[in-house]
Amino acid sequence: MFGYAGKIAKINLSNGIIENYPISDKDRDLFLGGKTLAAKIIYDSFKSKVDAFSEENILVITTSPLTSSTSPCSSRFNVSTISPLTGLLVSSNCGGSFGLHLRRAGYDGLIISGKSKEPVYIDITDQEILIKPAKHLWGKNTSETQILLGGKNKGKFVIGIAGENMVRYAAVISDERAAGRGGVGAVFGYKHLKGIVASGKETIETLSKETFKKHNLSWIYKLKSNILTGKQLPKLGTAALVSMMNFRNQLATKNYSSGRYEDFEKINGETLRQEYLIKNKGCVTCPIQCGRVVKAFGKEVKGPELETLGLLGSNLLNNNLQSILNLNHLCDEYGLDTISFGSSVGFAMELHEKGLWNNGLTFGDCSRLEELVKKVATRQGIGNELAEGTKRISEKYGGIEFAMNVKGLEIAAYEPRAAQGMGLGYATSNRGGCHLNGGYLVVLEGLGLNVSGTITKGKAAYTIFFQDLMEAVSAGGTCLFTTYSLLPQVLIENPNKSIVRFINKIIPFFGWLVCFLHNQSWLMNFNLKGILPHPYSIKLVTGFKLTIGSFIKTGERGYNLERIINLRQGLKGRDDTLPKRLISDLQRADDVDSRVKLQEMIKDYYKIRGWDEQGIPTKHRLKKLGLEDYRI
Amino acid sequence: MITVKFFGLISVEFNIKQLLVKAGPVKQIFREVMQRNPNISEQQLMQLIMFVNKQHISGNKRLSMILEDGDELVLISPTSGG
């Protein structure tokens, strides 16, 4: 077998039984790995709706054919479960080294079922899998837990105190990287699973070793010579976006009541670099190195991403960058998703401002925020309520129209009223208000290309294309930043040239072509390794006959399967929406287009997806994707 | 005087955040920027995305646009992704 270790272990924490979970070659071919393979396993494992906090819920950790290979940016692995925030399927991706070490232990994935009576951790080597007591680790933060689990050449994946206390947006941490979104850490906590450690010396066979090596070298060269992956991300990190988002009215500010923050210069990527950056640090096998190392509490720690700067900065009117660095570090230590934490606090501040919840939190006052992280993680005082996330807070205190979540998951830092496609992406994303799972169309709408963010034409087709593409890239095991090579560099570097401005104007008019190709993916049964290297890489490793067309179809298959699981979990088409603030209130009073015109896009979206008016995939579409046996 | 602010790679690579320059057409302002920062080329300035008083201005007409005292000109390198 090429590209896979060939084993997935199923570990039952209730009775301690460990067995091999069968995956057929056909399933590997259809679902590749990562989040799509996890969706297949979760679909097969549940017969009906499952609650996040129940013994029936499972955690599925999956790697991908490129994980631990020499392919660039390929240290990614995935964890999926039923989310305590949304009650739907959540997949969370992580760049820590755990996935690489899991493969070295000889496993492509793990399925963790049941619930232990006492705190435990799982120790996986290439010799055996043991469930061990973790009482001595319970109550420890994520860095200390990883130190106590010990040893070099081991991959760790652990929760902090927030996960133990089942904070609904608790993260799971590997090294300093988080599987942050959707509350996977809370499911670990529910199962009394403190963490997993993996090590071994197994190797995974690559089919075409020499060609793969050459292809990787040329891919690395391409990434290094690209303005975004070779210059911008290494120099400024994802924080580079703060300034541009601000000028484009896309920076979540004061609980998304605005897209601009007057103090953005105090928290942007330029200031982060000039005043706080110590050095870069990236994931294993990554030539981009977008990660930042900064100081917090006198220690060198991981710096904030764009999302964190937005949600803990502009969204709270917090202009103190050192405060954001400290909060980011505390969230990592306690094991909290910075997006959902920041959004929950911002929502609480607005509730307080409007007299709906007397909680003492005010916009612009960051003096209590560090204490608040601890309170949330330990569920003390108002922290216990903030730990439930914006949806549940709004059910208790009101303000549902400005509780900034979709399906229960807090939306990311991109204010969508100036990026219609991003708004559609948030509304339709399988895991809720996620920018990446939503297709990240903002990259065309001002952050990269300069397609108008206020028009809706063509946005449904492009959103679907990017959703499916990112799903496939994720399934393959590569960082999503590698998809920037899809954007022609000449268009990014020359935004003022007449021809580039013309192209930006006509892109929406080619939605029909994207839609046509989406439905006739066989027309893309070829590889353009210089533009989309991913399918060719996977082909070289596994021998699968992957092309651009079949690769994107794999993404579409995964997206539809996730949708089926969500429908089985009780999702309705009416849930594909946004908070009222974004679809009804104008972001700028003088611009009638500054709201998300969701209704203009959602019908097209369903139609192009091959879903009926209720948002249910049709039998015809499922058959086309090889999913005819999958039912709601 | 007008305030010229720089963001993104241009700011980092040339270690430049802000300049105060005389009011006038954008083309003239670009010349002054190059005089005061000889390492910045005209081509690099032409590639930057421009906002005047927070309004996005694009196209060739932007170069002949006349800025007045108190105006703010933002020059920002194209960015993407996060």
Side-chain angles (χ1 to χ4, degrees):
Chain A
M1 182 181 298
F2 296 102
Y4 292 91
K7 280 191 297 184
I8 289 182
K10 186 170 182 184
I11 303 162
N12 188 323
L13 294 178
S14 295
N15 56 24
I17 292 174
I18 298 165
E19 54 195 344
N20 193 35
Y21 185 88
I23 291 284
S24 68
D25 288 344
K26 187 187 167 194
D27 288 341
R28 289 191 188 93
D29 200 4
L30 278 176
F31 300 101
L32 283 183
K35 73 201 299 271
T36 54
L37 185 62
K40 153 77 181 161
I41 293 168
I42 284 180
Y43 176 88
D44 288 343
S45 300
F46 300 158
K47 290 191 176 72
S48 57
K49 183 180 176 182
V50 163
D51 288 335
F53 294 142
S54 71
E55 287 195 40
E56 288 73 35
N57 194 10
I58 59 174
L59 289 156
V60 181
I61 297 169
T62 39
T63 60
S64 305
L66 296 180
T67 308
S68 81
S69 74
T70 52
S71 192
C73 312
S74 62
S75 70
R76 314 296 304 190
F77 67 99
N78 172 80
V79 54
S80 294
T81 189
I82 299 300
S83 163
L85 275 174
T86 65
L88 306 173
L89 177 69
V90 63
S91 55
S92 200
N93 201 275
C94 181
S97 64
F98 175 78
L100 179 150
H101 289 285
L102 183 62
R103 299 262 278 181
R104 287 185 183 164
Y107 294 92
D108 293 319
L110 304 171
I111 302 166
I112 300 160
S113 63
K115 178 184 180 180
S116 171
K117 284 181 183 157
E118 299 291 333
V120 293
Y121 74 96
I122 300 171
D123 190 356
I124 302 170
T125 67
D126 48 12
Q127 303 298 313
E128 60 186 349
I129 295 178
L130 297 171
I131 302 170
K132 295 180 174 176
K135 269 189 181 170
H136 64 298
L137 301 172
W138 211 250
K140 307 286 187 199
N141 62 31
T142 58
S143 64
E144 191 179 359
T145 301
Q146 292 187 82
I147 290 166
L148 289 169
L149 285 173
K152 285 181 180 173
N153 297 319
K154 284 183 175 184
K156 297 132 196 171
F157 196 39
V158 306
I159 58 168
I161 293 161
E164 294 172 10
N165 289 309
M166 293 159 57
V167 174
R168 286 184 188 269
Y169 43 87
V172 193
I173 307 285
S174 175
D175 307 328
E176 292 163 319
R177 295 272 164 174
R181 304 241 61 198
V184 178
V187 179
F188 268 62
Y190 171 81
K191 291 180 179 297
H192 289 140
L193 177 63
K194 181 67 179 174
I196 311 167
V197 56
S199 61
K201 291 181 178 170
E202 295 282 328
T203 52
I204 307 233
E205 290 297 314
T206 294
L207 180 65
S208 309
K209 278 184 191 166
E210 286 309 309
T211 320
F212 185 56
K213 202 190 281 181
K214 277 184 202 161
H215 175 60
N216 288 339
L217 286 174
S218 104
W219 193 356
I220 290 167
Y221 174 78
K222 190 173 173 59
L223 288 168
K224 284 197 168 282
S225 56
N226 183 286
I227 187 172
L228 305 174
T229 49
K231 270 189 169 181
Q232 179 195 292
L233 282 168
K235 290 200 171 172
L236 289 162
T238 57
L241 292 179
V242 170
S243 303
M244 185 66 94
M245 286 167 67
N246 191 68
F247 289 113
R248 300 276 194 202
N249 293 300
Q250 292 168 341
L251 182 64
T253 301
K254 202 183 179 193
N255 196 34
Y256 302 79
S257 58
S258 167
R260 277 189 179 162
Y261 179 38
E262 63 179 30
D263 283 345
F264 78 96
E265 288 175 69
K266 294 180 180 173
I267 62 163
N268 64 6
E270 295 85 339
T271 302
L272 180 66
R273 178 184 167 89
Q274 283 155 4
E275 296 180 24
Y276 296 90
L277 180 70
I278 295 169
K279 60 184 176 187
N280 289 16
K281 187 178 179 185
C283 304
V284 185
T285 76
C286 178
I288 301 173
Q289 303 285 300
C290 71
R292 319 275 86 187
V293 175
V294 297
K295 265 198 176 163
F297 304 108
K299 291 185 292 187
E300 288 190 9
V301 300
K302 185 189 83 181
E305 301 281 343
L306 169 274
E307 304 300 335
T308 306
L309 290 164
L311 270 302
L312 299 179
S314 52
N315 194 51
L316 308 182
L317 302 188
N318 177 11
N319 63 13
N320 183 333
L321 189 47
Q322 186 59 58
S323 152
I324 299 171
L325 305 188
N326 291 350
L327 291 168
N328 183 53
H329 177 61
L330 287 174
C331 284
D332 281 350
E333 285 291 1
Y334 283 106
L336 282 170
D337 173 24
T338 54
I339 297 177
S340 286
F341 171 75
S343 188
S344 297
V345 175
F347 180 50
M349 285 174 169
E350 187 161 351
L351 286 171
H352 182 76
E353 192 176 76
K354 288 184 159 56
L356 295 170
W357 180 18
N358 183 19
N359 55 41
L361 297 171
T362 52
F363 287 110
D365 178 10
C366 60
S367 61
R368 293 176 56 196
L369 294 179
E370 288 174 17
E371 179 196 348
L372 200 58
V373 176
K374 185 179 178 183
K375 279 188 173 173
V376 169
T378 54
R379 284 185 171 272
Q380 289 171 5
I382 61 166
N384 190 38
E385 306 204 61
L386 290 169
E388 293 292 292
T390 53
K391 182 183 171 192
R392 287 168 179 80
I393 297 170
S394 72
E395 285 165 0
K396 183 168 180 183
Y397 293 103
I400 192 168
E401 61 276 17
F402 54 90
M404 304 311 291
N405 68 77
V406 174
K407 304 181 177 97
L409 184 74
E410 286 71 22
I411 68 176
Y414 304 89
E415 219 281 31
R417 286 179 289 186
Q420 298 289 328
M422 191 68 262
L424 176 64
Y426 281 141
T428 54
S429 159
N430 279 326
R431 68 174 179 180
C434 173
H435 55 305
L436 298 172
N437 196 218
Y440 201 65
L441 215 63
V442 70
V443 79
L444 303 187
E445 298 175 307
L447 304 182
L449 303 192
N450 194 17
V451 174
S452 168
T454 57
I455 64 168
T456 56
K457 189 172 182 58
K459 297 292 173 68
Y462 284 102
T463 296
I464 290 167
F465 175 81
F466 279 98
Q467 284 177 340
D468 291 349
L469 174 69
M470 289 163 99
E471 182 91 359
V473 170
S474 227
T478 311
C479 175
L480 296 175
F481 291 171
T482 57
T483 56
Y484 294 153
S485 56
L486 254 185
L487 299 175
Q489 196 149 318
V490 66
L491 298 185
I492 295 169
E493 287 187 291
N494 301 287
N496 298 309
K497 285 200 169 168
S498 301
I499 182 69
V500 174
R501 287 170 41 236
F502 176 70
I503 291 170
N504 279 319
K505 276 206 172 131
I506 63 168
I507 282 176
F509 294 92
F510 282 89
W512 67 269
L513 179 62
V514 175
C515 174
F516 177 73
L517 289 173
H518 182 261
N519 290 326
Q520 308 294 334
S521 56
W522 58 273
L523 288 170
M524 296 185 286
N525 274 346
F526 51 81
N527 272 307
L528 291 172
K529 53 190 179 185
I531 292 178
L532 190 66
H534 311 71
Y536 186 66
S537 281
I538 298 167
K539 181 183 172 181
L540 292 175
V541 170
T542 61
F544 294 160
K545 290 174 184 165
L546 267 188
T547 60
I548 291 176
S550 63
F551 184 62
I552 292 173
K553 195 170 178 181
T554 301
E556 187 187 0
R557 186 178 296 119
Y559 220 85
N560 277 270
L561 181 54
E562 290 173 351
R563 180 78 176 185
I564 289 171
I565 294 168
N566 281 349
L567 290 165
R568 195 166 63 181
Q569 286 293 117
L571 179 82
K572 304 288 180 204
R574 63 175 176 270
D575 298 321
D576 294 330
T577 190
L578 294 168
K580 189 167 171 277
R581 167 166 288 169
L582 300 178
I583 49 181
S584 299
D585 300 352
L586 295 180
Q587 187 197 56
R588 299 176 305 285
D590 60 347
D591 184 353
V592 292
D593 288 322
S594 63
R595 63 178 183 86
V596 181
K597 292 165 270 188
L598 191 59
Q599 286 312 311
E600 291 179 21
M601 298 184 282
I602 200 100
K603 279 185 186 167
D604 281 351
Y605 180 91
Y606 283 0
K607 198 174 168 188
I608 299 168
R609 273 257 175 244
W611 295 355
D612 69 15
E613 288 179 356
Q614 275 74 49
I616 299 169
T618 58
K619 281 181 185 173
H620 174 72
R621 178 63 56 151
L622 293 179
K623 191 175 178 190
K624 210 169 169 182
L625 295 170
L627 296 175
E628 59 270 31
D629 296 331
Y630 292 76
R631 307 256 188 277
I632 292 166
Chain B
M1 299 296 277
I2 67 155
T3 307
V4 186
K5 289 185 170 184
F6 299 84
F7 295 97
L9 281 175
I10 188 88
S11 165
V12 169
E13 291 185 340
F14 297 99
N15 195 24
I16 178 172
K17 275 185 109 168
Q18 187 171 311
L19 290 176
L20 284 176
V21 299
K22 280 183 198 161
V26 169
K27 206 165 188 176
Q28 178 190 309
I29 292 166
F30 277 12
R31 274 199 295 271
E32 191 168 342
V33 170
M34 286 187 289
Q35 275 171 7
R36 288 160 71 170
N37 297 271
N39 292 331
I40 301 181
S41 69
E42 187 177 3
Q43 192 200 348
Q44 284 165 324
L45 287 174
M46 297 293 275
Q47 286 179 324
L48 300 175
I49 294 170
M50 190 172 125
F51 292 84
V52 174
N53 299 329
K54 298 181 181 171
Q55 291 300 313
H56 181 218
I57 311 289
S58 65
N60 293 332
K61 67 176 184 215
R62 77 192 191 287
L63 299 175
S64 51
M65 186 177 185
I66 295 170
L67 303 191
E68 295 172 357
D69 282 342
D71 283 347
E72 180 189 82
L73 171 65
V74 164
L75 298 171
I76 179 166
S77 305
T79 54
S80 173

